[in-house]
Short mmCIF file of all heavy atoms in Angstrom, two decimals:
data_model
loop_
_atom_site.label_atom_id
_atom_site.label_comp_id
_atom_site.label_asym_id
_atom_site.label_seq_id
_atom_site.Cartn_x
_atom_site.Cartn_y
_atom_site.Cartn_z
N ASP A 376 91.23 199.94 166.61
CA ASP A 376 90.29 198.87 166.87
C ASP A 376 90.31 198.57 168.38
O ASP A 376 91.34 198.46 168.98
CB ASP A 376 90.74 197.63 166.10
CG ASP A 376 89.78 196.49 166.10
OD1 ASP A 376 89.20 196.19 167.16
OD2 ASP A 376 89.57 195.93 165.03
N ALA A 377 89.12 198.45 169.00
CA ALA A 377 89.04 198.17 170.44
C ALA A 377 89.73 196.88 170.81
O ALA A 377 90.22 196.70 171.92
CB ALA A 377 87.57 198.17 170.89
N MET A 378 89.75 195.91 169.86
CA MET A 378 90.36 194.62 170.14
C MET A 378 91.85 194.79 170.50
O MET A 378 92.40 194.04 171.31
CB MET A 378 90.24 193.68 168.93
CG MET A 378 90.85 192.32 169.12
SD MET A 378 90.07 191.36 170.40
CE MET A 378 88.55 190.92 169.57
N ALA A 379 92.50 195.80 169.91
CA ALA A 379 93.91 196.02 170.18
C ALA A 379 94.19 196.32 171.64
O ALA A 379 95.29 196.10 172.14
CB ALA A 379 94.47 197.15 169.30
N LEU A 380 93.21 196.84 172.34
CA LEU A 380 93.36 197.25 173.76
C LEU A 380 92.72 196.29 174.72
O LEU A 380 92.64 196.56 175.92
CB LEU A 380 92.82 198.65 173.95
CG LEU A 380 93.39 199.75 173.08
CD1 LEU A 380 92.79 201.11 173.36
CD2 LEU A 380 94.93 199.82 173.21
N ALA A 381 92.25 195.14 174.23
CA ALA A 381 91.62 194.15 175.10
C ALA A 381 92.57 193.75 176.21
O ALA A 381 93.73 193.40 175.96
CB ALA A 381 91.19 192.93 174.30
N GLY A 382 92.10 193.80 177.45
CA GLY A 382 92.93 193.44 178.58
C GLY A 382 93.78 194.60 179.09
O GLY A 382 94.40 194.49 180.16
N VAL A 383 93.85 195.69 178.35
CA VAL A 383 94.63 196.86 178.75
C VAL A 383 93.72 197.92 179.34
O VAL A 383 93.98 198.47 180.43
CB VAL A 383 95.38 197.44 177.52
CG1 VAL A 383 96.14 198.71 177.93
CG2 VAL A 383 96.35 196.40 176.97
N THR A 384 92.63 198.21 178.66
CA THR A 384 91.62 199.11 179.20
C THR A 384 90.27 198.79 178.54
O THR A 384 90.22 198.35 177.38
CB THR A 384 91.95 200.59 178.94
OG1 THR A 384 90.90 201.43 179.50
CG2 THR A 384 92.07 200.89 177.44
N ASP A 385 89.19 198.96 179.31
CA ASP A 385 87.86 198.80 178.76
C ASP A 385 87.12 200.13 178.69
O ASP A 385 85.91 200.17 178.44
CB ASP A 385 87.03 197.77 179.57
CG ASP A 385 86.86 198.20 181.04
OD1 ASP A 385 87.33 199.30 181.40
OD2 ASP A 385 86.27 197.43 181.81
N GLN A 386 87.83 201.24 178.90
CA GLN A 386 87.24 202.56 178.85
C GLN A 386 87.58 203.21 177.50
O GLN A 386 88.73 203.60 177.23
CB GLN A 386 87.74 203.43 180.00
CG GLN A 386 87.48 202.83 181.38
CD GLN A 386 86.00 202.64 181.64
OE1 GLN A 386 85.24 203.60 181.75
NE2 GLN A 386 85.56 201.39 181.69
N ILE A 387 86.59 203.29 176.63
CA ILE A 387 86.81 203.65 175.22
C ILE A 387 86.00 204.89 174.85
O ILE A 387 84.84 205.03 175.21
CB ILE A 387 86.42 202.49 174.29
CG1 ILE A 387 87.23 201.23 174.65
CG2 ILE A 387 86.60 202.88 172.84
CD1 ILE A 387 88.71 201.36 174.45
N VAL A 388 86.64 205.78 174.13
CA VAL A 388 85.95 206.93 173.51
C VAL A 388 86.05 206.76 172.00
O VAL A 388 87.17 206.63 171.44
CB VAL A 388 86.63 208.26 173.91
CG1 VAL A 388 85.92 209.43 173.20
CG2 VAL A 388 86.59 208.47 175.42
N TYR A 389 84.90 206.74 171.33
CA TYR A 389 84.86 206.58 169.87
C TYR A 389 84.97 207.96 169.22
O TYR A 389 84.10 208.80 169.35
CB TYR A 389 83.59 205.88 169.42
CG TYR A 389 83.62 204.40 169.77
CD1 TYR A 389 83.08 203.97 170.95
CD2 TYR A 389 84.21 203.49 168.91
CE1 TYR A 389 83.14 202.60 171.30
CE2 TYR A 389 84.27 202.13 169.24
CZ TYR A 389 83.74 201.71 170.44
OH TYR A 389 83.77 200.37 170.78
N LEU A 390 86.10 208.23 168.58
CA LEU A 390 86.31 209.49 167.91
C LEU A 390 85.48 209.58 166.62
O LEU A 390 85.26 208.57 165.95
CB LEU A 390 87.79 209.67 167.58
CG LEU A 390 88.74 209.57 168.78
CD1 LEU A 390 90.20 209.69 168.33
CD2 LEU A 390 88.44 210.70 169.79
N GLU A 391 85.02 210.75 166.32
CA GLU A 391 84.18 210.94 165.14
C GLU A 391 84.93 211.69 164.06
O GLU A 391 86.05 212.13 164.26
CB GLU A 391 82.87 211.67 165.56
CG GLU A 391 82.05 210.87 166.55
CD GLU A 391 80.68 211.45 166.77
OE1 GLU A 391 80.28 212.42 166.06
OE2 GLU A 391 79.96 210.95 167.70
N GLU A 392 84.30 211.80 162.89
CA GLU A 392 84.90 212.41 161.71
C GLU A 392 85.47 213.80 162.06
O GLU A 392 84.75 214.65 162.58
CB GLU A 392 83.91 212.56 160.58
CG GLU A 392 83.66 211.25 159.84
CD GLU A 392 84.85 210.83 159.01
OE1 GLU A 392 85.11 211.44 157.95
OE2 GLU A 392 85.55 209.88 159.44
N GLY A 393 86.75 214.00 161.75
CA GLY A 393 87.35 215.31 161.93
C GLY A 393 87.94 215.57 163.31
O GLY A 393 88.54 216.59 163.54
N ASP A 394 87.74 214.61 164.24
CA ASP A 394 88.24 214.82 165.61
C ASP A 394 89.79 214.81 165.65
O ASP A 394 90.44 214.06 164.91
CB ASP A 394 87.74 213.72 166.54
CG ASP A 394 86.28 213.91 166.94
OD1 ASP A 394 85.67 214.94 166.52
OD2 ASP A 394 85.74 213.06 167.67
N VAL A 395 90.31 215.62 166.55
CA VAL A 395 91.72 215.59 166.89
C VAL A 395 91.84 215.37 168.40
O VAL A 395 91.15 216.04 169.17
CB VAL A 395 92.45 216.88 166.50
CG1 VAL A 395 93.96 216.75 166.69
CG2 VAL A 395 92.17 217.24 165.03
N VAL A 396 92.68 214.44 168.83
CA VAL A 396 92.80 214.12 170.26
C VAL A 396 94.23 214.32 170.73
O VAL A 396 95.18 213.96 170.01
CB VAL A 396 92.29 212.69 170.52
CG1 VAL A 396 93.10 211.66 169.74
CG2 VAL A 396 92.35 212.37 172.02
N ASP A 397 94.37 214.89 171.90
CA ASP A 397 95.67 215.16 172.49
C ASP A 397 95.80 214.32 173.76
O ASP A 397 95.02 214.47 174.71
CB ASP A 397 95.75 216.66 172.84
CG ASP A 397 97.14 217.09 173.27
OD1 ASP A 397 97.99 216.22 173.51
OD2 ASP A 397 97.37 218.31 173.35
N LEU A 398 96.79 213.38 173.76
CA LEU A 398 97.00 212.51 174.90
C LEU A 398 98.23 212.93 175.67
O LEU A 398 99.32 213.07 175.09
CB LEU A 398 97.21 211.05 174.44
CG LEU A 398 95.98 210.17 174.14
CD1 LEU A 398 95.18 210.76 173.00
CD2 LEU A 398 96.45 208.77 173.81
N GLN A 399 98.06 213.16 176.97
CA GLN A 399 99.18 213.44 177.84
C GLN A 399 99.01 212.64 179.14
O GLN A 399 97.97 212.01 179.35
CB GLN A 399 99.26 214.94 178.15
CG GLN A 399 99.51 215.81 176.89
CD GLN A 399 99.80 217.23 177.24
OE1 GLN A 399 100.40 217.54 178.27
NE2 GLN A 399 99.36 218.15 176.37
N LEU A 400 100.00 212.65 179.97
CA LEU A 400 99.92 211.93 181.24
C LEU A 400 98.80 212.52 182.08
O LEU A 400 98.82 213.71 182.38
CB LEU A 400 101.22 211.98 181.99
CG LEU A 400 102.36 211.10 181.44
CD1 LEU A 400 103.64 211.33 182.24
CD2 LEU A 400 101.98 209.64 181.43
N GLY A 401 97.85 211.68 182.46
CA GLY A 401 96.81 212.12 183.37
C GLY A 401 95.70 212.94 182.74
O GLY A 401 94.75 213.32 183.45
N ARG A 402 95.75 213.23 181.46
CA ARG A 402 94.68 214.01 180.89
C ARG A 402 94.65 213.84 179.37
O ARG A 402 95.63 213.41 178.74
CB ARG A 402 94.86 215.49 181.20
CG ARG A 402 96.16 216.11 180.72
CD ARG A 402 96.23 217.59 181.06
NE ARG A 402 97.47 218.18 180.58
CZ ARG A 402 97.69 219.50 180.53
NH1 ARG A 402 96.74 220.32 180.91
NH2 ARG A 402 98.84 219.97 180.11
N TYR A 403 93.52 214.14 178.79
CA TYR A 403 93.38 214.17 177.30
C TYR A 403 92.30 215.17 176.97
O TYR A 403 91.48 215.52 177.82
CB TYR A 403 93.01 212.79 176.77
CG TYR A 403 91.62 212.31 177.12
CD1 TYR A 403 90.50 212.65 176.35
CD2 TYR A 403 91.40 211.51 178.26
CE1 TYR A 403 89.24 212.24 176.69
CE2 TYR A 403 90.14 211.08 178.60
CZ TYR A 403 89.04 211.45 177.80
OH TYR A 403 87.79 211.05 178.17
N TRP A 404 92.32 215.67 175.79
CA TRP A 404 91.18 216.48 175.32
C TRP A 404 91.02 216.28 173.83
O TRP A 404 91.92 215.86 173.12
CB TRP A 404 91.34 217.96 175.68
CG TRP A 404 92.58 218.65 175.22
CD1 TRP A 404 92.81 219.27 174.07
CD2 TRP A 404 93.79 218.77 175.98
NE1 TRP A 404 94.08 219.79 174.04
CE2 TRP A 404 94.68 219.50 175.21
CE3 TRP A 404 94.16 218.35 177.28
CZ2 TRP A 404 95.96 219.80 175.64
CZ3 TRP A 404 95.44 218.65 177.73
CH2 TRP A 404 96.33 219.37 176.91
N ILE A 405 89.81 216.59 173.38
CA ILE A 405 89.40 216.34 171.98
C ILE A 405 88.78 217.63 171.41
O ILE A 405 88.03 218.31 172.09
CB ILE A 405 88.36 215.20 171.91
CG1 ILE A 405 88.90 213.93 172.60
CG2 ILE A 405 87.99 214.88 170.46
CD1 ILE A 405 87.85 212.85 172.81
N VAL A 406 89.09 217.90 170.14
CA VAL A 406 88.40 218.98 169.43
C VAL A 406 87.79 218.38 168.17
O VAL A 406 88.24 217.36 167.67
CB VAL A 406 89.37 220.13 169.05
CG1 VAL A 406 89.96 220.75 170.30
CG2 VAL A 406 90.49 219.64 168.12
N ASP A 407 86.75 219.01 167.66
CA ASP A 407 86.09 218.54 166.45
C ASP A 407 86.75 219.12 165.19
O ASP A 407 87.77 219.78 165.27
CB ASP A 407 84.58 218.84 166.50
CG ASP A 407 84.27 220.33 166.51
OD1 ASP A 407 85.18 221.15 166.21
OD2 ASP A 407 83.14 220.69 166.83
N ARG A 408 86.13 218.91 164.04
CA ARG A 408 86.75 219.33 162.78
C ARG A 408 86.90 220.84 162.71
O ARG A 408 87.75 221.34 161.94
CB ARG A 408 85.95 218.80 161.59
CG ARG A 408 84.55 219.35 161.47
CD ARG A 408 83.90 218.99 160.12
NE ARG A 408 83.69 217.55 159.97
CZ ARG A 408 84.38 216.77 159.15
NH1 ARG A 408 85.34 217.31 158.40
NH2 ARG A 408 84.10 215.51 159.04
N ALA A 409 86.06 221.58 163.46
CA ALA A 409 86.19 223.04 163.50
C ALA A 409 87.15 223.49 164.60
O ALA A 409 87.23 224.67 164.91
CB ALA A 409 84.83 223.67 163.68
N HIS A 410 87.80 222.51 165.26
CA HIS A 410 88.75 222.73 166.36
C HIS A 410 88.05 223.33 167.60
O HIS A 410 88.66 223.99 168.42
CB HIS A 410 89.89 223.65 165.91
CG HIS A 410 90.73 223.05 164.82
ND1 HIS A 410 91.67 223.76 164.12
CD2 HIS A 410 90.73 221.81 164.28
CE1 HIS A 410 92.23 222.99 163.19
NE2 HIS A 410 91.65 221.80 163.29
N LYS A 411 86.76 222.97 167.72
CA LYS A 411 86.01 223.36 168.89
C LYS A 411 86.15 222.29 169.96
O LYS A 411 85.93 221.12 169.71
CB LYS A 411 84.53 223.54 168.52
CG LYS A 411 83.63 223.92 169.69
CD LYS A 411 82.18 224.02 169.24
CE LYS A 411 81.26 224.31 170.42
NZ LYS A 411 79.85 224.39 170.00
N PRO A 412 86.51 222.68 171.21
CA PRO A 412 86.67 221.67 172.27
C PRO A 412 85.37 220.91 172.52
O PRO A 412 84.29 221.48 172.50
CB PRO A 412 87.07 222.52 173.47
CG PRO A 412 87.64 223.78 172.90
CD PRO A 412 86.85 224.04 171.65
N LEU A 413 85.52 219.63 172.84
CA LEU A 413 84.38 218.78 173.08
C LEU A 413 84.44 218.26 174.52
O LEU A 413 85.50 217.93 175.04
CB LEU A 413 84.40 217.56 172.11
CG LEU A 413 84.34 217.92 170.62
CD1 LEU A 413 84.67 216.71 169.80
CD2 LEU A 413 82.97 218.46 170.26
N ASP A 414 83.26 218.17 175.14
CA ASP A 414 83.20 217.70 176.54
C ASP A 414 82.81 216.22 176.60
O ASP A 414 82.61 215.57 175.57
CB ASP A 414 82.27 218.53 177.37
CG ASP A 414 80.84 218.55 176.85
OD1 ASP A 414 80.44 217.55 176.22
OD2 ASP A 414 80.12 219.55 177.07
N ALA A 415 82.70 215.70 177.81
CA ALA A 415 82.45 214.27 178.01
C ALA A 415 81.06 213.86 177.55
O ALA A 415 80.84 212.68 177.23
CB ALA A 415 82.61 213.92 179.49
N LYS A 416 80.13 214.79 177.47
CA LYS A 416 78.80 214.46 176.95
C LYS A 416 78.84 214.27 175.43
O LYS A 416 78.11 213.45 174.88
CB LYS A 416 77.81 215.55 177.31
CG LYS A 416 77.45 215.61 178.79
CD LYS A 416 76.40 216.68 179.09
CE LYS A 416 76.05 216.70 180.54
NZ LYS A 416 75.01 217.73 180.84
N GLN A 417 79.69 215.05 174.78
CA GLN A 417 79.78 214.97 173.32
C GLN A 417 80.61 213.79 172.86
O GLN A 417 80.37 213.22 171.79
CB GLN A 417 80.36 216.29 172.79
CG GLN A 417 79.45 217.51 173.00
CD GLN A 417 80.18 218.80 172.83
OE1 GLN A 417 81.16 219.09 173.52
NE2 GLN A 417 79.74 219.60 171.88
N ARG A 418 81.61 213.40 173.62
CA ARG A 418 82.42 212.23 173.33
C ARG A 418 82.51 211.39 174.61
O ARG A 418 83.54 211.38 175.31
CB ARG A 418 83.82 212.60 172.86
CG ARG A 418 83.85 213.39 171.53
CD ARG A 418 83.41 212.55 170.35
NE ARG A 418 83.54 213.34 169.12
CZ ARG A 418 82.59 214.12 168.61
NH1 ARG A 418 81.44 214.24 169.26
NH2 ARG A 418 82.78 214.81 167.52
N PRO A 419 81.44 210.67 174.93
CA PRO A 419 81.41 209.94 176.22
C PRO A 419 82.37 208.77 176.26
O PRO A 419 82.68 208.16 175.24
CB PRO A 419 79.96 209.46 176.27
CG PRO A 419 79.51 209.37 174.84
CD PRO A 419 80.22 210.48 174.15
N VAL A 420 82.82 208.47 177.46
CA VAL A 420 83.59 207.24 177.69
C VAL A 420 82.62 206.07 177.82
O VAL A 420 81.66 206.15 178.56
CB VAL A 420 84.44 207.37 178.98
CG1 VAL A 420 85.18 206.07 179.27
CG2 VAL A 420 85.41 208.51 178.86
N LYS A 421 82.88 205.03 177.10
CA LYS A 421 82.03 203.83 177.15
C LYS A 421 82.83 202.64 177.67
O LYS A 421 84.03 202.50 177.40
CB LYS A 421 81.45 203.50 175.76
CG LYS A 421 80.56 204.60 175.20
CD LYS A 421 79.90 204.20 173.91
CE LYS A 421 78.92 205.27 173.44
NZ LYS A 421 78.24 204.87 172.20
N THR A 422 82.13 201.84 178.45
CA THR A 422 82.76 200.60 178.93
C THR A 422 82.59 199.53 177.83
O THR A 422 81.49 199.16 177.48
CB THR A 422 82.10 200.12 180.24
OG1 THR A 422 82.28 201.13 181.23
CG2 THR A 422 82.76 198.82 180.70
N VAL A 423 83.72 199.10 177.30
CA VAL A 423 83.71 198.17 176.16
C VAL A 423 84.46 196.90 176.57
O VAL A 423 85.67 196.95 176.77
CB VAL A 423 84.37 198.83 174.92
CG1 VAL A 423 84.43 197.84 173.77
CG2 VAL A 423 83.58 200.06 174.52
N LEU A 424 83.72 195.84 176.70
CA LEU A 424 84.33 194.57 177.11
C LEU A 424 84.69 193.79 175.84
O LEU A 424 83.89 193.02 175.32
CB LEU A 424 83.39 193.78 178.01
CG LEU A 424 82.89 194.56 179.24
CD1 LEU A 424 81.93 193.69 180.06
CD2 LEU A 424 84.06 195.02 180.10
N ALA A 425 85.90 194.03 175.33
CA ALA A 425 86.35 193.34 174.13
C ALA A 425 86.85 191.96 174.52
O ALA A 425 87.86 191.84 175.21
CB ALA A 425 87.44 194.14 173.44
N HIS A 426 86.15 190.92 174.11
CA HIS A 426 86.49 189.57 174.53
C HIS A 426 87.64 189.04 173.69
O HIS A 426 87.44 188.51 172.60
CB HIS A 426 85.28 188.66 174.40
CG HIS A 426 84.11 189.15 175.24
ND1 HIS A 426 84.14 189.23 176.60
CD2 HIS A 426 82.89 189.60 174.85
CE1 HIS A 426 82.99 189.67 177.05
NE2 HIS A 426 82.23 189.90 176.02
N SER A 427 88.84 189.19 174.17
CA SER A 427 89.99 188.72 173.40
C SER A 427 89.94 187.22 173.19
O SER A 427 90.52 186.68 172.27
CB SER A 427 91.31 189.11 174.10
OG SER A 427 91.35 188.56 175.42
N GLY A 428 89.21 186.52 174.05
CA GLY A 428 89.08 185.07 173.88
C GLY A 428 88.38 184.68 172.59
O GLY A 428 88.50 183.59 172.11
N ALA A 429 87.58 185.64 172.05
CA ALA A 429 86.89 185.36 170.81
C ALA A 429 87.89 185.18 169.67
O ALA A 429 87.56 184.62 168.64
CB ALA A 429 85.95 186.53 170.48
#
Side-chain angles (χ1 to χ4, degrees):
D376 190 316
M378 180 65 74
L380 303 180
V383 177
T384 181
D385 60 3
Q386 302 300 292
I387 302 297
V388 178
Y389 288 92
L390 302 177
E391 297 189 9
E392 282 291 284
D394 284 358
V395 187
V396 58
D397 189 348
L398 277 62
Q399 297 189 34
L400 286 178
R402 60 178 181 168
Y403 69 86
W404 56 89
I405 305 169
V406 298
D407 64 14
R408 64 170 65 250
H410 298 169
K411 179 182 177 182
L413 300 168
D414 59 29
K416 290 183 178 180
Q417 294 165 300
R418 296 293 184 271
V420 177
K421 297 186 176 182
T422 299
V423 177
L424 305 179
H426 301 296
S427 58

